[in-house]
Amino acid sequence: TYQNAQKLIVDNKFEPKVFSEKLVTLLMGRRTEPNSRTQREVAIKKEAWSRFGKDVNSCFRRAPPFHFMLGSFDRGPPIKKVK
Amino acid sequence: MSKMYTDAHRLVVQAFLARGVMDEKDVKSLVHTACERCGVPNVGERVDNFIHQINSQLHKMAMEIKKKREEEDGAQVYALVQTAEHQIGKIINNYSPKELELFKEIVSKVITSENGEVSSTDCLNLADALERRITKDEAQNAVKKFVEERWLRIDEEGQISLAARGIMELQMFLQEKYSDFIVTCYLCQDIVVKGQLCDGCGKVKLHNFCAQRLFQTRPNPKCPACEVNWSHDIPHLNGGPVEE
Amino acid sequence: SSQARQAAANDAQIMERKVGELVQYFLIMEQNKIPIKRGDISRNVLKDYKSIFQEVLMKAKESLSNIFGFEMVEVEHSSAKTKTKMYFLLNKLDSELREDLVEISSENPKNALLWIVLAIIFMNESVISETQLWQALQKLGLPQDEKNHPVFGDLKRLITVEFPRQLYLECTRVPSTDPASFEFRWGERATAEVDKEKLLHMVTEIYGNNMTPQSWRTQYREVQLWRQEKGLADEPMEQDG
Ligand SMILES: [Zn+2]
Ligand SMILES: [Zn+2]
């Protein structure tokens, strides 16, 4: 039927490299011609990684850890005031 | 588990885990947003009551959300602190043993110093005296991290002192290891590391913001204990409390 | 007798202290997301009170959930010949509640990379060869031999050591391959933690040109399965004809 045929066209085959190119465009913020950019040229800035990390946070269920100082080093003997 | 302990409380605890320390206005907006998102009747100004409800659950875990004013400008700060020294603490930490040793030495120098502060050059010079050698760069990065995470504070002249978070967290350690040096403030009874000490009796010590409050109406302030003229200049901090 | 009462009180006090220590142990270990093994709990927390292991674990699980809103997850991780029980924490509060309030911004860059690797594996029908993964990462400016990337440092160590150690990824050797070749799958923590539906939606958005999640047929079916496992109501499936 028409609908099955239409389904076939839309049914995608996932290509990791194509996905990466889409990500580069997203993270570098402008259209990049696939072959013009050599591997070395792609340098995604930390801010872009950070922003994207914030956007994908909702996919995770991370538990924030406990950071502390007390008890993380040996106390050593009491220090007396030299009279 | 009292029914008053809701997802809003869990959200606030999680925010404190994630950030460790917060200024008062951030705590107020955090509690406000948490209550709103969880459909819990808003506590309005009763933030401390809300924090108390959390602490009643946390104390079993040797954890507590404490409140203290920064010694320099009196700004109110809240921090989630460890209240017990057990060896799990030595198992993992986001600081390396070298960094922790440096931190310990800096705390020691600050506590035993004349006026509760140490120059950043002195801190970096500590790097050479450590058991575990640490380079000046590593020491510089470590100090930067301690200041960023608000264990320590650095002022415009580069003087390093203990921040409110550091004092709250290390209170037990300081009181027991440095009992000769640790004094409580005459006015607010809280620990005071950097403050004004009476040069008459050498007993009365005041936070800057407490000196401001105690002497603000007195033209020539005297030590409340030994009546000797108070020689320190009385600061005019906007951060400090007008009335408590 | 008073000794019995004293002993009982003493036991209760030890129990409460050990539960508190175990809760802290979990909260601390989440700093580097390394799962806790049963042996770690006995050695580092219970020490000479191993007989009350189960009760302390149960009470700690309860406190982590009631006080902090965290779920203690137990998984059986099999590596080489051994099967070890491991524990880690997941957040029970919805991401909508946690947004902007519970966030460690310094972790965001690594989260981004982790999400990308998990998305690539999921979209590649849940398994990918190491070579194919590195080819995809290469195009993101993340070459396999990069030892000190300005944001991620040693990339090979991060992808093949750290993420697997956190049980986010599973790196297995393909049998009877010489030289040895490896495959990546989701680890136990990713399977327990990651919202596959949101992930598929985000991937679809990244592809843009008004693609819908349904157009990735196998992956969409995988999301439906995942929803059922999570006990979520079936999404109204468009008429599939
Ligand atoms: Zn005071
Ligand atoms: Zn005096």
Side-chain angles (χ1 to χ4, degrees):
Chain A
T1 63
Y2 165 73
Q3 208 183 11
N4 285 345
Q6 192 256 355
K7 199 94 190 86
L8 276 176
I9 303 158
V10 166
D11 190 6
N12 287 58
K13 177 79 186 69
F14 175 72
E15 284 302 332
K17 284 192 220 157
V18 170
F19 182 50
S20 290
E21 277 153 27
K22 303 266 180 195
L23 281 166
V24 170
T25 312
L26 177 72
L27 294 175
M28 304 277 278
R30 60 195 180 321
R31 280 290 304 126
T32 56
E33 295 69 35
N35 34 38
S36 76
R37 184 169 294 289
T38 61
Q39 255 58 59
R40 280 303 154 201
E41 262 169 47
V42 171
I44 298 165
K45 292 201 293 301
K46 183 165 186 177
E47 293 69 29
W49 286 113
S50 220
R51 249 193 331 277
F52 188 66
K54 189 169 165 43
D55 296 342
V56 298
N57 261 338
S58 60
C59 284
F60 293 96
R61 291 169 53 203
R62 290 172 154 244
F66 181 38
H67 292 280
F68 64 95
M69 239 348 159
L70 184 67
S72 60
F73 46 82
D74 289 326
R75 191 184 270 212
I79 307 286
K80 288 296 164 226
K81 209 175 231 179
V82 176
K83 286 284 174 295
Chain B
M1 177 57 64
S2 78
K3 60 171 179 22
M4 300 223 294
Y5 195 84
T6 66
D7 270 353
H9 295 83
R10 294 180 191 98
L11 203 48
V12 169
V13 173
Q14 289 192 11
F16 267 102
L17 281 170
R19 297 184 242 172
V21 55
M22 277 180 243
D23 298 330
E24 186 166 41
K25 62 176 173 37
D26 297 329
V27 175
K28 284 197 166 120
S29 83
L30 165 65
V31 171
H32 174 77
T33 312
C35 288
E36 214 172 60
R37 287 186 182 176
C38 300
V40 167
N42 199 307
V43 288
E45 283 317 306
R46 294 193 332 280
V47 165
D48 282 345
N49 181 3
F50 189 88
I51 298 289
H52 175 69
Q53 285 166 347
I54 295 175
N55 280 335
S56 65
Q57 302 299 325
L58 285 184
H59 79 267
K60 286 177 270 174
M61 309 301 146
M63 296 163 78
E64 188 182 341
I65 297 175
K66 283 188 180 168
K67 185 167 98 162
K68 188 179 175 60
R69 295 190 177 284
E70 291 290 358
E71 295 198 319
E72 196 117 334
D73 56 19
Q76 187 69 271
V77 160
Y78 289 73
L80 174 62
V81 298
Q82 169 85 272
T83 58
E85 267 177 307
H86 36 63
Q87 322 77 344
I88 306 177
K90 296 195 185 55
I91 292 173
I92 56 150
N93 204 301
N94 49 0
Y95 296 103
S96 69
K98 286 195 249 185
E99 288 170 326
L100 288 171
E101 204 190 331
L102 177 65
F103 182 77
K104 197 171 105 173
E105 292 312 319
I106 294 175
V107 168
S108 189
K109 251 199 161 351
V110 166
I111 296 291
T112 55
S113 69
E114 232 325 89
N115 41 35
E117 59 184 19
V118 176
S119 76
S120 31
T121 21
D122 288 352
C123 287
L124 297 184
N125 293 339
L126 283 173
D128 313 328
L130 295 184
E131 244 168 79
R132 292 183 182 86
R133 293 304 310 247
I134 183 171
T135 66
K136 282 281 164 52
D137 281 352
E138 279 168 339
Q140 185 116 32
N141 289 335
V143 171
K144 186 164 162 296
K145 222 167 34 165
F146 296 141
V147 171
E148 251 161 41
E149 288 171 9
R150 298 175 71 171
W151 300 110
L152 301 177
R153 238 179 113 84
I154 190 162
D155 64 17
E156 305 77 33
E157 292 97 29
Q159 292 293 95
I160 292 194
S161 54
L162 271 175
R165 183 189 191 185
I167 299 173
M168 284 190 273
E169 170 96 0
L170 298 174
Q171 182 159 347
M172 183 163 92
F173 164 78
L174 295 176
Q175 281 169 331
E176 283 165 15
K177 177 164 184 179
Y178 298 97
S179 46
D180 285 4
F181 297 87
I182 290 295
V183 175
T184 50
C185 168
Y186 176 85
L187 190 61
C188 72
Q189 305 306 322
D190 200 358
I191 289 187
V192 51
V193 176
K194 196 160 90 166
Q196 302 180 357
L197 183 67
C198 165
D199 25 352
C201 61
K203 289 265 179 308
V204 169
K205 192 168 182 180
L206 289 162
H207 291 110
N208 291 339
F209 47 84
C210 288
Q212 174 186 344
R213 206 147 50 83
L214 189 62
F215 299 128
Q216 65 189 356
T217 54
R218 305 214 184 111
N220 36 44
K222 290 192 174 28
C223 166
C226 69
E227 306 285 337
V228 164
N229 280 337
W230 196 262
S231 60
H232 309 278
D233 49 33
I234 306 304
H236 293 285
L237 306 162
N238 42 35
V242 177
E243 11 61 51
E244 190 61 15
Chain C
S1 71
S2 68
Q3 287 92 347
R5 253 200 323 283
Q6 178 51 33
N10 190 342
D11 291 350
Q13 216 219 344
I14 291 166
M15 174 65 73
E16 178 163 307
R17 191 159 48 82
K18 286 299 166 188
V19 170
E21 277 175 30
L22 183 54
V23 165
Q24 270 218 18
Y25 188 47
F26 267 98
L27 296 176
I28 295 166
M29 288 301 274
E30 280 299 321
Q31 282 183 19
N32 49 28
K33 297 288 173 215
I34 302 212
I36 295 177
K37 300 196 223 20
R38 277 187 85 99
D40 299 335
I41 296 177
S42 304
R43 225 182 6 270
N44 297 326
V45 179
L46 288 168
K47 297 198 189 62
D48 31 35
Y49 296 101
K50 297 188 176 50
S51 60
I52 52 173
F53 183 100
Q54 211 47 43
E55 205 180 339
V56 170
L57 191 70
M58 273 310 117
K59 286 188 162 32
K61 186 181 170 80
E62 219 179 283
S63 297
L64 282 163
S65 174
N66 295 341
I67 300 172
F68 298 93
F70 298 149
E71 180 193 345
M72 181 199 290
V73 175
E74 177 185 296
V75 293
E76 193 147 73
H77 180 69
S78 41
S79 61
K81 293 169 291 310
T82 55
K83 265 196 182 334
T84 28
K85 271 205 172 126
M86 291 189 169
Y87 304 89
F88 53 83
L89 297 183
L90 290 186
N91 209 317
K92 294 174 70 171
L93 299 181
D94 300 341
S95 52
E96 291 73 30
L97 288 183
R98 291 183 274 118
E99 202 178 348
D100 299 330
L101 296 185
V102 186
E103 199 194 283
I104 304 170
S105 40
S106 59
E107 282 181 355
N108 282 336
K110 226 182 231 182
N111 284 352
L113 177 56
L114 175 63
W115 184 88
I116 289 170
V117 173
L118 291 174
I120 290 175
I121 296 172
F122 174 72
M123 293 305 288
N124 205 59
E125 294 176 20
S126 304
V127 62
I128 193 167
S129 70
E130 186 173 14
T131 18
Q132 244 192 323
L133 178 61
W134 282 114
Q135 279 161 3
L137 293 178
Q138 181 97 30
K139 294 188 83 68
L140 285 162
L142 303 171
Q144 180 172 4
D145 51 16
E146 176 61 81
K147 281 278 180 292
N148 33 56
H149 185 276
V151 179
F152 302 112
D154 183 335
L155 284 174
K156 192 160 175 44
R157 209 192 98 70
L158 181 57
I159 302 283
T160 62
V161 175
E162 188 174 325
F163 284 156
R165 221 172 140 220
Q166 297 173 331
L167 301 184
Y168 272 121
L169 296 183
E170 201 180 282
C171 177
T172 47
R173 189 190 141 123
V174 180
S176 67
T177 51
D178 189 14
S181 74
F182 292 87
E183 279 175 345
F184 281 93
R185 291 176 175 76
W186 281 25
E188 291 91 340
R189 189 192 280 264
T191 311
E193 179 176 348
V194 176
D195 184 320
K196 286 184 178 174
E197 185 170 28
K198 281 185 183 157
L199 182 135
L200 182 57
H201 274 276
M202 286 184 192
V203 168
T204 311
E205 264 167 34
I206 291 171
Y207 272 80
N209 52 46
N210 54 51
M211 183 179 278
T212 67
Q214 285 76 1
S215 43
W216 304 96
R217 226 146 55 96
T218 32
Q219 293 86 348
Y220 186 72
R221 211 179 302 120
E222 178 63 29
V223 166
Q224 295 309 96
L225 269 175
W226 175 79
R227 284 177 60 85
Q228 273 143 30
E229 270 156 35
K230 291 276 167 198
L232 299 169
D234 271 3
E235 250 180 29
M237 289 287 283
E238 269 114 58
Q239 300 336 335
D240 226 358

